[in-house]
Amino acid sequence: MQKLQQAFDERSKKQNKIEKIKELHSPKESYEKLNFFAQNGYSSIPAEDKSYFLKCFGIYDRPATPEKFMIRVRVPGGHLNAKQAKVIGELAKEFGNDYIDITTRAQIELRYINIEDIPKILKSLNDIGVSTFQTGVDNFRNIVNDPLDGDGFDNILPSQNLLLKLQSQFLENYEWISTLPRKFNTSISGSLVNRCNVYGHDCCFILAQKDGVYGYNMFLGGKVGVIASNADIFLKDENEVILAYEAITRVFKKYGFRDNRNKNRIHFLIESVGMDVITTAIKDEASKEFATAGETLTTLDNPDADHGKIALRDGSYALHVVVPSGVFTGSALIRVANLANEYGNSEVRFDVSQSIYIMGVKEVDKVLKDELFYEYKSVNTPYYNNIIACAGTEHCPFGVIPNKPDAIEMAEYLSKNVPLDENSRLRMYWSACVKGCGLHSLGDIGFEGCKAKLDGENVYGVHILVGGKISGHSEEAHSVLKSIPLKHSKYYVESLAREYKKLKLKGESFEKFNERILANYSPSAIGFMMVLLAYLKQNKIDIDFGFKKDVMCGKNENFEIFDIGVHLYYALFEKEPYEVVENFAPNSELGEFTCSDEKLQKLLHVMISKESRVVVFSEIVNILKIT
């Protein structure tokens, strides 16, 4: 533990302001004053309680909705029974404008809540065995799991009971409430299909096999923009998982950094001392010499939204409900609960894609005729089926763009303008700011809210990313375009969607299309092509031009620029610009040519002429502007 202590001592010369707030009093004191706050109104709540302590219990003051609160309801593994779902829906109707958000941790958020009503709401939730504790700030957040755990054909190790045992270590336990250096996200999956973004958390237990035994490999250090790394630990049974979890949480609590909140997640502790030190610390803390990692088995993409129903082991189905951007209502949740009772096994599941499964359905066609599916489809277009979006400016103080309506508008535009067949899959993930609650870095196409310039004015914008993976050992997307005005982003994404439609193989997902085609290009080249293709379409320049199946540029921008320029020249003039080209360079001067579009004329010169050729896309991407 010496290296851990040294790293901790080095980073303990100062504390961040939240650590100083924690010293004012205990979270328990704030929770015990809830009735007082409810009786005396919003103005009776101290600033530190609104900004920090009440969040330990899932109670969020939201400046975007003045004097109204958001309550985040903990849904372990995304699993609820129908009674619980119905009560939560009724609470949303009675106290929260009939509004519900489904989150990317498979939880439920109630909004527009008055402080006077919070004790009644919490009592109603407690009566049905549902908690809001530790769903915010420096706590163990909701543990995610496969929504089909225990029921799906691909589920090897049912994990929900183990999840509840892990949760019991900290939930509603004041030894752990607000005592961590930063939030701690956990995932567990005993399935072959990755339905819960299993690699994207601080601590991940992922289905594995070693020496003929099924268990879990332990991965650590995931966060927004970073996939967790293999800790080289195989856990052969529930007892070993519990031991390892107790150990890593104690290590993080004791040695986690408490200075710069932007660098206090366990990822930065691992980065500081190395994974081997953390692995050794886990074994020492647990007094257990765990086996080294086995073969990780949770590697498959999630196809459920493409089909709408998924066969279960008992002969029934999990009926999928697409909830675009997670925007739902209490009334609709009550309807889901009633359907689960009448036609299913009274179980409702939520997933990290902000959608719902009604479990145990046998009469699928009958259920699909219900009024619920007039508004929320079982199978929507490929653009809607796998869309994720966090709260945005309407509800979150960190949001830079509206986000949820932007995601829905993009899906609607693409559905109308670039319809894809039912065997297509394209995941668009939207985050309203850099914090990444919409998992934008894991999307096939990701969007991060930002400010952009348009005609000299500040406007809503997005950074656009491409290439996130959730199959295999997940991978982060790459930024391809920066600070794009939001109103223009749909045209650039449309150009990419058209290329996917044109070049995709039968049944090929965008993720596989990216691996086969786009991965041969640099991120800058992909972004440039999106802009160029959008420009050609807007200016009605109809030529045979786009991404190529065979690219030999080695992601060298210098070579890519010349290669794309030559390709564009040929598409415009139906002839080669040079007789001989060696090593992506001409051996002669570029002859005179005239293009009807002045911007394309200028672009071609700087892409392929010998005397004025540019070598990086950043020098030319702004030549073409969308209006």
Side-chain angles (χ1 to χ4, degrees):
M1 303 282 190
Q2 185 177 356
K3 284 188 177 180
L4 280 167
Q5 188 65 55
Q6 289 174 347
F8 177 79
D9 291 343
E10 181 63 28
R11 291 283 295 271
S12 295
K13 296 173 183 177
K14 62 178 182 178
Q15 286 189 330
N16 64 62
K17 63 180 182 180
I18 296 299
E19 292 298 325
K20 294 175 182 177
I21 288 176
K22 290 179 187 180
E23 295 172 356
L24 296 176
H25 58 74
S26 72
K28 186 178 181 181
E29 292 175 78
S30 295
Y31 189 74
E32 290 174 342
K33 289 181 180 177
L34 269 177
N35 285 327
F36 172 84
F37 298 150
Q39 292 167 8
N40 292 276
Y42 182 85
S43 62
S44 69
I45 309 172
E48 64 270 17
D49 288 328
K50 287 186 286 192
S51 67
Y52 183 81
F53 288 109
L54 290 180
K55 293 178 183 178
C56 293
F57 309 100
I59 302 166
Y60 285 72
D61 180 36
R62 280 293 178 242
T65 53
E67 299 192 14
K68 302 288 184 179
F69 289 82
M70 178 267 280
I71 294 180
R72 183 174 293 151
V73 180
R74 193 177 199 99
V75 186
H79 293 214
L80 283 181
N81 61 47
K83 179 181 178 181
Q84 292 169 327
K86 186 174 183 179
V87 169
I88 293 170
E90 290 169 345
L91 291 172
K93 280 190 70 175
E94 183 176 358
F95 300 109
N97 291 6
D98 200 23
Y99 184 92
I100 279 175
D101 272 327
I102 302 171
T103 79
T104 56
R105 296 204 69 77
Q107 299 177 114
I108 293 171
E109 292 177 346
L110 308 177
R111 298 189 182 275
Y112 309 108
I113 305 297
N114 293 314
I115 185 62
E116 294 81 2
D117 297 322
I118 288 178
K120 290 178 282 187
I121 293 171
L122 296 185
K123 183 181 184 305
S124 295
L125 293 172
N126 185 65
D127 288 345
I128 57 170
V130 172
S131 178
T132 64
F133 275 51
Q134 294 143 285
T135 53
V137 290
D138 300 347
N139 288 293
F140 294 98
R141 304 298 184 85
N142 194 46
I143 303 177
V144 300
N145 189 11
D146 180 355
L148 302 189
D149 181 80
D151 298 294
F153 276 101
D154 67 292
N155 182 238
I156 307 298
L157 287 181
S159 302
Q160 185 67 8
N161 287 337
L162 174 55
L163 180 155
L164 295 175
K165 290 177 183 178
L166 296 178
Q167 178 181 270
S168 69
Q169 296 178 34
F170 61 80
L171 186 60
E172 301 190 7
N173 178 350
Y174 282 100
E175 177 187 347
W176 289 105
I177 295 176
S178 185
T179 59
L180 296 177
R182 202 66 166 81
K183 67 178 178 180
F184 195 86
N185 290 337
T186 307
S187 65
I188 185 167
S189 177
S191 299
L192 301 173
V193 171
N194 182 5
R195 293 187 181 90
C196 62
N197 175 29
V198 72
Y199 294 93
H201 309 267
D202 295 281
C203 180
C204 319
F205 300 107
I206 304 174
L207 179 67
Q209 187 186 61
K210 183 164 186 173
D211 298 330
V213 175
Y214 287 103
Y216 303 88
N217 280 341
M218 189 177 191
F219 284 66
L220 296 170
K223 67 182 192 69
V224 171
V226 177
I227 295 297
S229 299
N230 197 327
D232 197 23
I233 289 176
F234 176 75
L235 306 163
K236 70 177 187 296
D237 55 33
E238 289 192 359
N239 288 334
E240 288 201 345
V241 173
I242 292 168
L243 276 176
Y245 195 60
E246 288 175 340
I248 187 58
T249 54
R250 287 195 297 264
V251 167
F252 181 53
K253 181 179 178 180
K254 182 175 182 180
Y255 297 107
F257 305 139
R258 296 175 184 264
D259 51 355
N260 181 349
R261 282 187 67 77
N262 292 326
K263 294 186 176 181
N264 285 6
R265 296 283 289 275
I266 197 170
H267 164 81
F268 298 101
L269 183 61
I270 296 168
E271 187 178 63
S272 177
V273 301
M275 184 65 84
D276 57 336
V277 172
I278 298 295
T279 299
T280 299
I282 292 169
K283 294 176 180 179
D284 289 347
E285 188 73 29
S287 299
K288 180 77 173 180
E289 186 60 35
F290 299 113
T292 55
E295 178 187 1
T296 303
L297 300 179
T298 304
T299 58
L300 300 179
D301 196 356
N302 180 11
D304 296 353
D306 304 342
H307 307 296
K309 64 178 184 180
I310 304 91
L312 303 178
R313 290 180 183 274
D314 66 358
S316 66
Y317 290 88
L319 186 57
H320 192 253
V321 185
V322 178
V323 184
S325 296
V327 178
F328 210 49
T329 67
S331 298
L333 186 56
I334 293 169
R335 193 71 201 144
V336 166
N338 290 338
L339 291 172
N341 271 330
E342 186 174 355
Y343 297 102
N345 64 4
S346 298
E347 293 292 326
V348 177
R349 308 280 172 85
F350 299 84
D351 67 13
V352 299
S353 295
Q354 301 175 298
S355 290
I356 299 172
Y357 296 82
I358 303 173
M359 303 296 291
V361 176
K362 293 183 178 179
E363 300 177 272
V364 170
D365 292 340
K366 196 169 184 178
V367 178
L368 288 175
K369 293 177 182 177
D370 188 85
E371 61 185 28
L372 175 78
F373 293 96
Y374 297 160
E375 184 171 0
Y376 303 97
K377 309 295 184 184
S378 179
V379 178
N380 209 316
T381 75
Y383 302 107
Y384 277 109
N385 282 339
N386 294 285
I387 192 172
I388 289 177
C390 66
T393 52
E394 183 177 359
H395 295 297
C396 179
F398 302 109
V400 181
I401 62 174
N403 207 49
K404 285 181 181 285
D406 302 322
I408 292 171
E409 181 185 343
M410 175 75 77
E412 186 65 19
Y413 176 83
L414 294 173
S415 296
K416 289 179 178 178
N417 289 277
V418 194
L420 296 171
D421 63 58
E422 61 183 12
N423 292 315
S424 305
R425 187 181 312 146
L426 194 159
R427 297 176 295 105
M428 295 192 295
Y429 292 177
W430 289 71
S431 296
C433 74
V434 69
K435 289 182 177 294
C437 296
L439 309 179
H440 63 276
S441 61
L442 286 175
D444 290 321
I445 305 176
F447 305 85
E448 180 191 322
C450 65
K451 292 296 184 184
K453 288 286 188 182
L454 182 62
D455 300 326
E457 299 291 329
N458 280 327
V459 297
Y460 290 139
V462 285
H463 305 311
I464 300 177
L465 301 85
V466 171
K469 284 184 59 178
I470 60 172
S471 66
H473 185 188
S474 299
E475 293 180 12
E476 300 289 334
H478 300 284
S479 177
V480 296
L481 289 171
K482 289 279 194 181
S483 302
I484 300 299
L486 192 54
K487 64 180 292 186
H488 292 163
S489 62
K490 61 186 177 184
Y491 303 119
Y492 300 137
V493 176
E494 177 187 6
S495 66
L496 197 55
R498 289 186 183 279
E499 290 297 286
Y500 170 49
K501 181 175 183 177
K502 180 176 71 175
L503 298 173
K504 72 185 285 289
L505 303 177
K506 184 177 180 180
E508 186 176 46
S509 67
F510 190 95
E511 184 176 299
K512 296 301 181 184
F513 165 75
N514 175 71
E515 291 177 0
R516 185 173 61 87
I517 301 293
L518 300 183
N520 298 314
Y521 291 83
S522 69
S524 296
I526 295 170
F528 173 77
M529 286 288 286
M530 290 167 67
V531 172
L532 175 54
L533 290 168
Y535 182 85
L536 294 175
K537 182 176 183 297
Q538 187 176 74
N539 289 276
K540 298 180 171 60
I541 302 172
D542 187 16
I543 56 176
D544 182 16
F545 176 77
F547 289 97
K548 297 191 299 181
K549 298 178 182 179
D550 299 309
V551 183
M552 306 296 292
C553 302
K555 299 185 183 181
N556 181 307
E557 288 192 40
N558 184 4
F559 296 166
E560 287 177 317
I561 289 171
F562 185 79
D563 187 59
I564 293 171
V566 168
H567 180 200
L568 177 61
Y569 186 99
Y570 185 87
L572 288 167
F573 303 113
E574 297 185 347
K575 65 178 183 178
E576 299 288 351
Y578 300 103
E579 288 187 7
V580 179
V581 172
E582 295 179 358
N583 255 348
F584 298 97
N587 64 354
S588 60
E589 298 296 328
L590 179 63
E592 291 293 327
F593 67 93
T594 302
C595 184
S596 58
D597 186 284
E598 292 183 3
K599 290 183 179 178
L600 286 182
Q601 177 98 6
K602 176 182 178 181
L603 183 70
L604 283 170
H605 265 291
V606 296
M607 291 183 79
I608 64 174
S609 67
K610 192 173 183 180
E611 64 277 7
S612 57
R613 179 176 163 187
V614 300
V615 296
V616 290
F617 285 104
S618 59
E619 296 184 70
I620 57 174
V621 72
N622 291 324
I623 290 177
L624 308 178
K625 284 189 176 181
I626 296 294
T627 58

